[in-house]
Amino acid sequence: MRANRLAFAERAMLRAPAHDLGEVLADILHAEYGANDTEVFLADYRMLALQPLRAVAPAPMAIAGTPAGLAFGSQEPVRRTEDTHEVLYLPMTVRGDRFGVLRVVFPGQPAEEDAEELVELAHAAAQAFRVAESATDRFRQARRAERLTLAAEIQWQLLPGRGLERAEFTLAGQLEPAYAVCGDNFDWTADADSLTIAVTNGMGESVDAALLTSLAINALRNARRAGVSLPDQAALADQAVWSQHGGRQHVSTLLLRLDIADGRVTAIDAGSPRIWRLRAGEVAPVHLEPQLPLGMFDSTVYVEQEFNVRPGDRLFLLSDGIFESIFEGRRYADTLERMLKTTANLPPGEAIRALLHDLRAFCQDQYLDDDAVGVCLDWMGRP
């Protein structure tokens, strides 16, 4: 029976050795659903390609213009006929964090109830892979299209994920240049009543910048988990950076806390990251009073400001590597608001991917001179 098959598959994946999870999933799909072949494609760090997991896997698939990419971007199953076989491409997502795509090949048309059940199985597999990722490097290695720098390794380990979804909001973020990012990062957490987001930009280059950002992010988390207010979180992180570096280095930071019940936002602008709001098809910056970056001076006092979001609003939180990008004398800021408008009908994950793709095209696909972080938040309001 359907429930029994799903329960069996979930138990088998959770009990499997972490590094063997791809093979165990393939065995389940063959034995229980009659699949000829199975592959797990993992989204690479740049969100440009889907990298195969298994050793006998096919080549990577581009996210743009492929069935797997369509399933990844739309978050809907895609069915294709390929060489007389029926192929399902199923999104693998955990609470809005897009892990990859499951490709399942059948000798003929799968039963409709099997196809529907496999959608649930793909999401269960994403959950199992996310848990297993802490016990093996296999999945992180598979998703790499090239080697990460040490600084980028530190930055990616800091992230809470690349997406988060609840009934009230959808959230997505991305780092660039993904394989060599130094000091830019983002963090978020949500509880029953609030969503807190931080976008940070540590000064300096390479490992020094990554270590500085790591200190700031962990200091903010430590203060947040102590249950203190947003200004106190900034003040405690400021003191941590100051104590370590004595003002020689600092971290530009944007802190937001969204009240999930009513859409009230409290914010602290402590540096360069900025906010743009897309409302009813129009884009405008959200102006906040600038305050000192974390760690610039000893015992800085921070003051929060307020603004509101309405159901249907979209917020973009962008680092200066995006809005201050210059290439051959042209400023990306001159086209930024137009680009943000064009994302109105895309989900946040695709909106951020499209924005950074446009930025790379603006720079003619050369590595960016500065790190770039983009975070997109869609606010639907509490049902």
Side-chain angles (χ1 to χ4, degrees):
M1 294 177 62
R2 175 181 178 182
N4 291 340
R5 277 200 305 191
L6 277 174
F8 164 75
E10 290 175 7
R11 285 197 304 271
M13 288 189 291
L14 290 174
R15 292 172 179 174
H19 64 279
D20 276 341
L21 187 52
E23 285 69 30
V24 169
L25 177 58
D27 289 343
I28 292 168
L29 288 166
H30 174 70
E32 299 294 330
Y33 297 89
N36 277 10
D37 189 30
T38 299
E39 183 54 272
V40 174
F41 288 90
L42 308 178
D44 92 306
Y45 286 89
R46 294 190 76 189
M47 290 291 224
L48 292 179
L50 293 163
Q51 300 285 120
L53 171 64
R54 300 171 66 202
V56 293
M61 289 192 181
I63 290 178
T66 65
L70 179 59
F72 182 80
S74 68
Q75 288 296 287
E76 296 289 340
V78 172
R79 182 178 295 190
R80 292 287 187 270
T81 301
E82 300 175 6
D83 297 327
T84 73
H85 292 87
E86 290 297 310
V87 184
L88 288 178
Y89 295 91
L90 307 167
M92 299 173 65
T93 303
V94 183
R95 295 186 181 90
D97 193 1
R98 300 183 295 174
F99 193 77
V101 172
L102 176 63
R103 180 178 185 264
V104 189
V105 181
F106 294 94
Q109 189 83 6
E112 197 60 37
E113 58 271 21
D114 283 358
E116 293 174 1
E117 186 175 329
L118 287 171
V119 173
E120 297 180 47
L121 179 57
H123 291 304
Q127 180 75 40
F129 274 93
R130 186 62 78 202
V131 172
E133 198 168 36
S134 63
T136 179
D137 284 337
R138 184 181 180 190
F139 311 138
R140 293 185 178 93
Q141 289 172 325
R143 71 169 68 249
R144 300 178 185 204
E146 57 187 272
R147 184 175 177 178
L148 267 68
T149 64
L150 175 56
E153 191 81 55
I154 293 170
Q155 295 290 54
W156 282 101
Q157 289 301 309
L158 284 174
L159 293 184
R162 287 195 282 188
L164 181 63
E165 186 173 345
R166 277 179 40 175
E168 302 92 345
F169 64 83
T170 305
L171 185 60
Q174 176 66 9
L175 305 179
E176 277 288 339
Y179 290 87
V181 66
C182 296
D184 285 14
N185 210 284
F186 59 84
D187 190 30
W188 57 55
T189 187
D191 56 30
D193 301 315
S194 66
L195 166 67
T196 303
I197 306 173
V199 176
T200 53
N201 180 0
M203 68 177 294
E205 298 179 353
S206 191
V207 174
D208 288 341
L211 291 174
L212 177 62
T213 297
S214 179
L215 172 63
I217 289 283
N218 281 292
L220 287 168
R221 287 174 177 170
N222 180 253
R224 186 183 73 218
R225 291 164 185 168
V228 302
S229 67
L230 204 66
D232 285 343
Q233 291 175 35
L236 289 169
D238 168 73
Q239 195 61 38
V241 176
W242 168 264
S243 297
Q244 188 70 24
H245 297 286
R248 296 181 301 276
Q249 292 182 289
H250 57 265
V251 181
S252 294
T253 305
L254 176 64
L255 282 176
L256 268 72
R257 182 185 183 278
L258 170 67
D259 190 312
I260 291 177
D262 61 12
R264 182 172 61 93
V265 180
T266 52
I268 293 174
D269 175 359
S272 57
R274 297 284 182 268
I275 308 173
W276 278 260
R277 178 168 50 205
L278 175 59
R279 173 179 289 172
E282 295 300 321
V283 173
V286 176
H287 295 290
L288 299 171
E289 187 69 28
Q291 301 177 61
L292 294 173
L294 306 183
M296 181 171 279
F297 295 103
D298 189 16
S299 301
T300 302
V301 176
Y302 292 94
V303 179
E304 63 186 12
Q305 298 173 261
E306 292 188 9
F307 65 94
N308 284 81
V309 288
R310 303 172 186 168
D313 280 359
R314 168 171 287 182
L315 296 181
F316 286 96
L317 286 61
L318 309 177
S319 72
D320 59 358
I322 295 178
F323 62 84
E324 289 187 356
S325 182
I326 297 175
F327 185 77
E328 295 183 349
R330 297 179 298 125
R331 299 170 62 250
Y332 189 67
D334 295 337
T335 61
L336 176 60
E337 292 188 9
R338 173 196 58 78
M339 179 59 205
L340 297 182
K341 276 187 182 182
T342 67
T343 70
N345 294 322
L346 297 175
E350 286 300 286
I352 285 296
R353 202 170 70 84
L355 172 63
L356 291 173
H357 176 79
D358 189 67
L359 177 64
R360 289 192 296 266
F362 170 81
C363 296
Q364 297 182 11
D365 286 328
Q366 298 183 24
Y367 265 115
L368 307 181
D369 291 334
D370 191 12
D371 293 351
V373 163
V375 173
C376 180
L377 168 66
D378 276 2
W379 170 247
M380 285 76 78
R382 176 158 280 172

